[in-house]
Amino acid sequence: MSTHLTAGQRAWLRTELEQRHQQLKRRLDDHRGGRSRIEYARETRTQDDDDAPQREGEREVDLALSDFETQEFTEVGEALARMDRQDYGLCVDCGSDIAFDRLRAEPWASRCVGCATAREKEAARRR
Ligand SMILES: [Zn+2]
């Protein structure tokens, strides 16, 4: 278990994560109108057939936003799970403490700055 965070910091981060989780869940539910992602995608595609071409761009943005929020929702959920397992605040790659300043900006961060940067570089190279 990580010991570099005080009980107060952990409590604050947990509240942040729980609020974000609720918020994203509501947004995603609204966005999909309660439908599953696959149904949503299928319906969007069906609508595309008889719709004006200039509206397709908007819908792509819509779907991309949903993807982004789904991803973030997953990350926030995983951070809450790590908190329950007591390994929250530790880098999943190298196991070092993630600085509170970083967690304060991004409470669902799962990697230290070094590993996150290395990963981004790696991803950029593969692109
Ligand atoms: Zn690391």
Side-chain angles (χ1 to χ4, degrees), residues 40 43-64:
Y40 177 75
E43 184 168 309
T44 304
R45 214 170 298 135
T46 312
Q47 284 171 355
D48 276 344
D49 292 341
D50 48 30
D51 221 329
Q54 70 262 28
R55 295 202 54 196
E56 274 171 31
E58 285 170 35
R59 221 170 275 118
E60 267 164 36
V61 172
D62 233 33
L63 271 179

Side-chain angles (χ1 to χ4, degrees), residues 23-84:
Q23 195 187 2
L24 282 168
K25 187 173 169 9
R26 259 200 310 272
R27 290 236 305 259
L28 286 168
D29 283 350
D30 284 354
H31 194 79
R32 296 171 188 164
R35 291 184 296 271
S36 79
R37 172 145 178 77
I38 294 164
E39 283 170 46
Y40 177 75
R42 197 180 293 141
E43 184 168 309
T44 304
R45 214 170 298 135
T46 312
Q47 284 171 355
D48 276 344
D49 292 341
D50 48 30
D51 221 329
Q54 70 262 28
R55 295 202 54 196
E56 274 171 31
E58 285 170 35
R59 221 170 275 118
E60 267 164 36
V61 172
D62 233 33
L63 271 179
L65 180 71
S66 175
D67 275 347
F68 179 76
E69 288 181 333
T70 304
Q71 166 82 20
E72 195 179 335
F73 181 70
T74 307
E75 284 174 13
V76 173
E78 281 168 3
L80 281 166
R82 285 198 300 276
M83 211 163 235
D84 289 339

Side-chain angles (χ1 to χ4, degrees), residues 1-2 4-5 10 13-14 17-18 21 71-93 95-98 102-103 106-112:
M1 145 171 198
S2 173
H4 74 296
L5 297 171
R10 288 177 74 85
L13 288 163
R14 179 183 275 278
L17 283 168
E18 279 168 356
H21 206 239
Q71 166 82 20
E72 195 179 335
F73 181 70
T74 307
E75 284 174 13
V76 173
E78 281 168 3
L80 281 166
R82 285 198 300 276
M83 211 163 235
D84 289 339
R85 287 196 311 263
Q86 307 292 324
D87 55 2
Y88 177 82
L90 295 176
C91 175
V92 294
D93 282 353
S96 36
D97 294 342
I98 303 173
R102 175 165 167 74
L103 292 170
E106 207 174 299
W108 51 90
S110 58
R111 287 180 178 83
C112 69

